[in-house]
Amino acid sequence: MPETNHSVLLIGESGVGKTHYGAQLLSRLYKTESCELTLDTEGHQANLDPYETTFQKLNAGLAAEHTTSTTFIESIWPVVNKAGVKSQLVWPEYAGEQVSLMLKDRNLPEQWLNSIREGASWLLMIRLNLHQDQADILSKPVSSIHKEAPESPNEVNMSHQARLIELLQIMLFGGGVSLDKPVETPKLAVMLTCWDELGLDLPPPEKLLETEMPMLHQFITSIWEQPLFFGLSALGKALSSDEADEGYVNLGPEAFGYIVNPEGTKLPDLTIPLRALLDEPITKGGRITQ
């Protein structure tokens, strides 16, 4: 069976954990044969350059540094699943400020536009703890929101879920995706990151998103045919940037981190969301032919 080029576009603003997930995912692909996906040793060598510094930091038990704002690198990772089906993942590494700038300017840079149009799947990463206290009249009673005048008459302060909806709308338009029927391609997986900081006894990821960001959840489930929902703790716990974690040093980064599957179960296999995105045949259904 010929290899399939499957471009997975990560979507997330600063601080959601894209770099940590990419590095930890690569460590699973390389070293853990029990994962749903592994690197294909018969394929071309995976590009590790964007993650070398992150590997060094994690191996030393330290948190990685923030990706520089001008970075946009696409790595190609040859993978194979347990059934022997081979694919090539095209995986981007970039700074979250680029996403914020696209929203501010209402403009898609050419490099992003190409990635959006070629992407068979999108992986939207959301860190709820960065935005849980943000007031939103569409999800909270008006009486519970403290009204403050904007700094300038033309300033509009959008809620985080409204920003994400607008971002998805911009990307759908830029990708030429028809909304005449529920979207099948690109496939969409939503990943709630830094799960370990959200507390105990949490509901499954989709229910948690519906509770915390109901407007975003309604938009996604009304637009996509079968959106997927996961939780992620790429590191398993918080790491310091200057105080080494002995567990990471002694056991290695691949011993830490987990995925929360749609049913709410924690699993150590960080490749599960990727396998889910690869499961269905890739079609161009839903795209508008130029």
Side-chain angles (χ1 to χ4, degrees), residues 2 10 12 22 91 97 113 118 121 132 162-163 193 199 261 263 285:
L10 273 69
W91 192 267
E97 288 90 348
L113 191 59
E118 294 172 3
S121 299
Q132 280 182 327
R163 283 168 56 84
T193 67
N261 69 12
E263 291 73 38

Side-chain angles (χ1 to χ4, degrees), residues 192-248:
L192 305 181
T193 67
C194 299
W195 191 269
D196 56 283
E197 70 182 17
L198 296 176
L200 303 173
D201 300 321
L202 295 170
E206 181 177 2
K207 183 63 178 178
L208 183 59
L209 181 68
E210 184 180 15
T211 300
E212 297 295 333
M213 292 186 166
M215 182 171 65
L216 175 62
H217 175 267
Q218 184 176 21
F219 174 80
I220 289 171
T221 53
S222 65
I223 295 295
W224 268 271
E225 176 71 26
Q226 292 182 317
L228 302 166
F229 298 89
F230 295 93
L232 168 70
S233 176
L235 302 180
K237 54 183 175 180
L239 292 182
S240 169
S241 59
D242 52 18
E243 185 175 344
D245 184 279
E246 292 185 5
Y248 267 72

Side-chain angles (χ1 to χ4, degrees), residues 5-7 116-122 171-172 175-179 181-188 223-227 277 280-288:
N5 240 9
H6 192 113
S7 179
I116 290 169
R117 290 176 175 173
E118 294 172 3
S121 299
W122 296 352
M171 294 177 64
L172 287 166
V177 179
S178 171
L179 301 183
K181 59 181 181 179
V183 173
E184 297 178 3
T185 303
K187 295 181 69 174
L188 177 69
I223 295 295
W224 268 271
E225 176 71 26
Q226 292 182 317
L277 290 172
E280 297 297 327
I282 301 170
T283 69
K284 289 298 180 183
R287 301 277 192 181
I288 299 175

Side-chain angles (χ1 to χ4, degrees), residues 3 39-46 78-79 86 88:
E3 289 185 353
L39 278 179
D40 178 17
T41 56
E42 297 180 358
H44 66 76
Q45 186 174 359
V79 297
K86 298 181 179 181
Q88 288 191 7

Side-chain angles (χ1 to χ4, degrees), residues 4 116 120 124-125 139 144 161 167 199 209 221 242 247:
T4 301
I116 290 169
L124 175 63
M125 302 179 73
S139 59
S144 70
Q161 57 179 332
L167 176 63
L209 181 68
T221 53
D242 52 18

